[in-house]
Amino acid sequence: MKKIGVLVTVMLFLFSLLGLTGCGSGGEKQGGSQQGDGKTANHLTFATAGTGGTFYPLGGGMAKIISKYVPSLQVTAEATGGSVENARLLDRGEADLAFMAGDVAYEAYHGLGDFQNEKKKFFALFKTYSEPLHIVTLQDKKINSIMDLKGKKVAVGSPGSGTEVKARALLNALGITYNDIDEQYLSFAEASDALKDNNIDAAIMAVGAPASAVMDLSAVREVKLISLTPEEISKVKEKHPYFFESKIEKGVYEKIPVEVETVAVPIVVAARADLPEQTAYEVVKAIFEHLPELQTVHRVAKEITLETAVPAVVPLHPGAERYFKEKGLTWK
């Protein structure tokens, strides 16, 4: 009888432990938290980039807007290594939303470049701002076209940077290889300083305009930006579909009083492939119906418009597609 009593006591103790751990108790949903009204908010992770760039503060602003205007969602912006890492995070389901440069998104989706033979699964939600390619030199340099870069010292971006990838793609599309130039792997700030000191002849920078590195350089030296010809732009777009024709408008740089013809890549907000359609729809709707609020977060948000939101380099998420069709947008 004593043994039976002990056994009963142990079983009761085990049952009490199961109750305390909440098994079968109908508690919180995985990935969600209880709100004050008793509803469950789904948590989404927004992958951005380093805290010193544009992706992080802009992503933080978008996360706040989505969380504010979609009661069922709570979004958190997280710092990451940037576009390449973000594509992999979405593919693995370790992020729900992410920023990606258009060239990275295109190559990741199609299994090219850094993603050779490893296609990543995700969808685009919309395009945001663009990063035009600046071909920067000095007025006293005999460089008036991109072909004049041959035989010159040219900064092409930091090793492995997005700028370096875009610079190489631009040059190769026009028949220029690193064998034709003396490539210098320099950051924007380093390239600006090198031009100031006459240690290089030109720099290629993929960056939103106005770029602080260009403004800093123009404060002490006479700067010029090189335009691409219509034929050169067509060649680049044909070779690399993620590029599009772009202009650096006259007046963007106070001391560069000309309009510059160039190419740019869009910055895309993407989502994991299995994000529910309704969730994607609500995310996109929250952003585009509260753009003035987003514009207070970062100046580049002024480039985000309904008219330029699509097409977005890779196929749209069905939820995003539904929203834009409701707004009467069409695209190829």
Side-chain angles (χ1 to χ4, degrees), residues 118-169:
E118 50 168 320
K119 295 180 180 180
K120 301 303 178 186
K121 295 179 181 178
F122 57 86
F123 287 115
L125 292 182
F126 54 89
K127 285 193 302 190
T128 61
Y129 65 99
S130 65
E131 288 185 338
L133 289 186
H134 293 58
I135 305 170
V136 188
T137 187
L138 303 176
Q139 287 287 355
D140 59 4
K141 299 285 185 183
K142 294 180 180 179
I143 299 174
N144 297 299
S145 74
I146 193 166
M147 292 302 169
D148 292 336
L149 296 181
K150 289 184 177 182
K152 304 295 194 300
K153 285 186 177 182
V154 183
V156 294
S158 302
S161 67
T163 284
E164 196 276 323
V165 172
K166 296 173 187 64
R168 186 158 20 96

Side-chain angles (χ1 to χ4, degrees), residues 46-316:
F46 197 139
T48 61
T51 57
T54 301
F55 284 9
Y56 186 76
L58 189 60
M62 289 184 178
K64 287 181 181 178
I65 286 174
I66 298 164
S67 300
K68 180 178 178 180
Y69 294 105
V70 186
S72 61
L73 299 177
Q74 289 295 314
V75 185
T76 303
E78 293 191 357
T80 70
S83 295
V84 173
E85 181 183 352
N86 292 352
R88 294 188 168 120
L89 290 171
L90 287 182
D91 182 65
R92 295 196 298 260
E94 294 174 13
D96 305 290
L97 311 171
F99 276 122
M100 263 186 267
D103 55 323
V104 174
Y106 183 89
E107 291 187 345
Y109 188 84
H110 293 283
L112 304 171
D114 288 336
F115 305 91
Q116 197 71 39
N117 300 321
E118 50 168 320
K119 295 180 180 180
K120 301 303 178 186
K121 295 179 181 178
F122 57 86
F123 287 115
L125 292 182
F126 54 89
K127 285 193 302 190
T128 61
Y129 65 99
S130 65
E131 288 185 338
L133 289 186
H134 293 58
I135 305 170
V136 188
T137 187
L138 303 176
Q139 287 287 355
D140 59 4
K141 299 285 185 183
K142 294 180 180 179
I143 299 174
N144 297 299
S145 74
I146 193 166
M147 292 302 169
D148 292 336
L149 296 181
K150 289 184 177 182
K152 304 295 194 300
K153 285 186 177 182
V154 183
V156 294
S158 302
S161 67
T163 284
E164 196 276 323
V165 172
K166 296 173 187 64
R168 186 158 20 96
L170 169 72
L171 295 172
N172 288 347
L174 299 175
I176 304 172
T177 71
Y178 282 2
N179 291 330
D180 299 312
I181 65 172
D182 183 358
E183 76 275 15
Q184 304 290 310
Y185 295 96
L186 303 174
S187 68
F188 297 156
E190 290 168 340
S192 177
D193 288 340
L195 278 166
K196 287 178 193 175
D197 297 335
N198 213 32
N199 290 329
I200 61 172
D201 300 299
I204 299 174
M205 303 180 184
V207 60
S212 58
V214 177
M215 292 190 291
D216 180 54
L217 177 61
S218 65
V220 295
R221 299 295 298 269
E222 291 187 8
V223 177
K224 61 182 173 184
L225 296 177
I226 304 302
S227 280
L228 299 175
T229 67
E231 293 76 20
E232 288 168 344
I233 290 171
S234 293
K235 285 182 180 179
V236 174
K237 289 167 58 182
E238 182 178 351
K239 180 74 172 177
H240 303 292
Y242 47 78
F243 279 117
F244 64 94
E245 186 172 356
S246 182
K247 298 179 188 293
I248 300 174
E249 301 288 348
K250 177 181 177 180
V252 168
Y253 295 102
E254 183 181 351
K255 297 187 178 181
I256 307 175
V258 294
E259 183 176 84
V260 178
E261 303 286 343
T262 186
V263 291
V265 295
I267 301 302
V268 176
V269 174
R272 58 182 170 86
D274 61 349
L275 190 72
E277 180 180 330
Q278 185 61 25
T279 300
Y281 174 87
E282 290 173 343
V283 165
V284 175
K285 181 178 180 181
I287 295 298
F288 282 89
E289 294 192 354
H290 301 93
L291 284 177
E293 196 168 326
L294 184 62
Q295 289 166 2
T296 66
V297 174
H298 199 289
R299 60 176 178 78
V300 298
K302 293 180 180 179
E303 291 188 40
I304 304 173
T305 67
L306 191 60
E307 293 73 24
T308 59
V310 292
V313 183
V314 298
L316 286 178

